[in-house]
C-alpha cells in the first residue's frame, strides 16, 4: 500500500471527511483558523491516483472547532457536502453532479442557526429514482436544543420539511450534540445516532433512531 499526502502546502489541516461511491473517492477537510477554507481532493480510480486539490469554499467564518465538513457521494457521480458557517448562522451545503469536479451552492438549510454542531450527511436514490441528499444536525442553543433531519432533492433543487428527531425523547435528555447518519446497503433505511445528556443517570448517552424514505418510526433507543 502507498501512503499519500492529500493536503498541500503548510498550515493547519483538520477535520477530514471521506465518501466513496464505486471507484470515486472524495476526501474533504478544513484548513486555516477563524477564517477557514474547505479543501477537496478526489480520486476516480479507487484511491490509486489523486487529482489536484480544490478549494470549494473559502473565507468561512466559524468558531472552534471550525466548519466540520461532511461529504457524501453516489455512484452516478452526484455528491453533497455540508459545513458550518458562522457568518450567516447556517449550515451551508454544496452539491456536485460531475463526480466532484465542480460544486454549486444550494439554498440555505432550514432549521439551522449558530448553535448547529457537526452536520452529517448521506446520499442515495429514492424510490422515484431521483437523487436525494440526507442531512442531520444538532442545534445546541439552550432554548431550542434539537436534532433535525432534512432531505434535499437534486431534481427539484428543494429541501423537504425538517423533522425534529429528538421531539419524542422525554425531558430528562438534553444537550444534544455530534449527530451521525448512516445508510443501509439498500440505501432506503437511515440510521441516525447522537450524543445526549441523561439527567437521570448524570451521564452522556447515545440515542439512536431508524427511518425510511423521508419518515421515521416512532421509537428510539438509548445506548448506555
Amino acid at each position: 500500500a502507498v501512503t499519500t499526502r492529500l493536503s498541500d502546502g503548510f498550515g493547519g489541516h483538520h477535520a477530514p471527511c471521506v465518501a466513496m461511491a464505486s471507484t470515486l473517492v472524495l476526501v474533504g477537510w478544513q484548513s486555516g483558523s477563524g477564517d477557514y477554507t474547505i479543501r477537496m481532493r478526489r480520486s476516480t480510480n479507487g484511491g490509486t491516483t489523486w487529482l489536484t486539490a480544490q478549494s470549494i469554499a473559502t473565507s468561512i467564518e466559524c468558531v472552534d472547532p471550525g466548519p466540520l465538513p461532511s461529504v457524501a457521494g453516489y455512484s452516478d457521480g452526484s455528491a453533497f457536502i455540508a459545513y458550518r458557517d458562522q457568518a450567516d448562522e447556517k449550515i451551508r451545503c454544496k452539491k456536485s453532479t460531475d463526480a466532484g469536479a465542480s460544486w454549486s451552492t444550494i439554498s440555505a438549510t432550514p432549521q439551522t442557526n449558530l448553535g448547529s454542531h457537526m452536520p452529517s450527511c448521506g446520499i442515495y436514490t429514492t424510490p422515484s429514482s431521483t437523487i436525494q441528499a440526507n442531512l442531520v444536525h444538532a442545534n445546541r442553543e439552550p432554548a431550542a436544543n434539537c436534532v433535525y433531519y432534512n432531505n434535499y432533492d437534486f431534481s427539484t433543487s428543494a429541501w423537504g420539511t425538517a423533522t425534529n428527531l429528538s421531539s419524542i425523547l422525554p425531558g430528562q435528555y438534553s444537550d444534544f450534540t455530534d449527530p451521525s447518519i448512516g445508510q443501509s446497503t439498500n440505501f432506503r433505511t437511515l440510521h441516525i445516532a447522537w450524543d445526549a445528556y441523561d439527567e437521570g443517570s448524570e451521564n452522556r448517552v447515545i440515542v439512536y433512531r431508524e427511518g425510511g424514505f423521508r419518515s421515521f418510526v416512532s421509537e428510539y433507543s438509548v445506548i448506555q
Side-chain angles (χ1 to χ4, degrees):
V2 177
T3 300
T4 303
R5 173 177 170 170
L6 298 181
S7 60
D8 51 3
F10 298 92
H13 300 277
H14 308 282
C17 54
V18 182
M20 186 170 184
S22 187
T23 59
L24 172 66
V25 186
L26 299 170
V27 179
W29 68 91
Q30 65 190 43
S31 63
S33 178
D35 185 13
Y36 291 90
T37 296
I38 302 295
R39 304 279 282 164
M40 177 75 71
R41 286 195 75 173
R42 61 194 184 101
S43 170
T44 57
N45 55 15
T48 302
T49 59
W50 295 86
L51 299 173
T52 303
Q54 307 163 268
S55 294
I56 65 173
T58 60
S59 301
I60 303 168
E61 296 180 21
C62 202
V63 295
D64 289 339
L68 300 174
S70 175
V71 67
Y74 192 66
S75 56
D76 74 336
S78 300
F80 186 85
I81 191 168
Y83 56 92
R84 305 193 314 163
D85 188 343
Q86 182 182 358
D88 58 3
E89 299 185 351
K90 293 287 183 182
I91 289 178
R92 303 301 304 180
C93 301
K94 293 195 172 194
K95 68 177 180 180
S96 173
T97 56
D98 55 9
S102 61
W103 295 82
S104 59
T105 301
I106 66 177
S107 58
T109 311
Q111 295 291 354
T112 65
N113 62 21
L114 185 58
S116 301
H117 186 76
M118 189 180 285
S120 181
C121 64
I123 188 170
Y124 64 6
T125 300
T126 69
S128 58
S129 298
T130 62
I131 298 297
Q132 173 177 304
N134 299 289
L135 176 68
V136 60
H137 57 89
N139 180 348
R140 294 198 72 187
E141 291 293 325
N145 186 209
C146 302
V147 176
Y148 284 105
Y149 160 82
N150 210 333
N151 55 80
Y152 177 85
D153 191 323
F154 273 53
S155 63
T156 62
S157 300
W159 288 96
T161 301
T163 300
N164 182 347
L165 297 179
S166 54
S167 63
I168 67 172
L169 270 68
Q172 73 185 73
Y173 298 104
S174 62
D175 192 23
F176 306 126
T177 64
D178 302 332
S180 182
I181 187 170
Q183 297 169 178
S184 298
T185 54
N186 63 5
F187 297 106
R188 302 292 168 80
T189 305
L190 299 174
H191 306 272
I192 295 175
W194 67 90
D195 184 329
Y197 176 70
D198 178 5
E199 295 179 1
S201 65
E202 297 185 345
N203 290 319
R204 303 296 301 188
V205 297
I206 303 301
V207 180
Y208 166 84
R209 287 196 69 181
E210 178 181 323
F213 177 63
R214 299 181 182 175
S215 65
F216 287 83
V217 295
S218 56
E219 299 175 357
Y220 70 92
S221 299
V222 175
I223 306 171
Q224 296 287 358

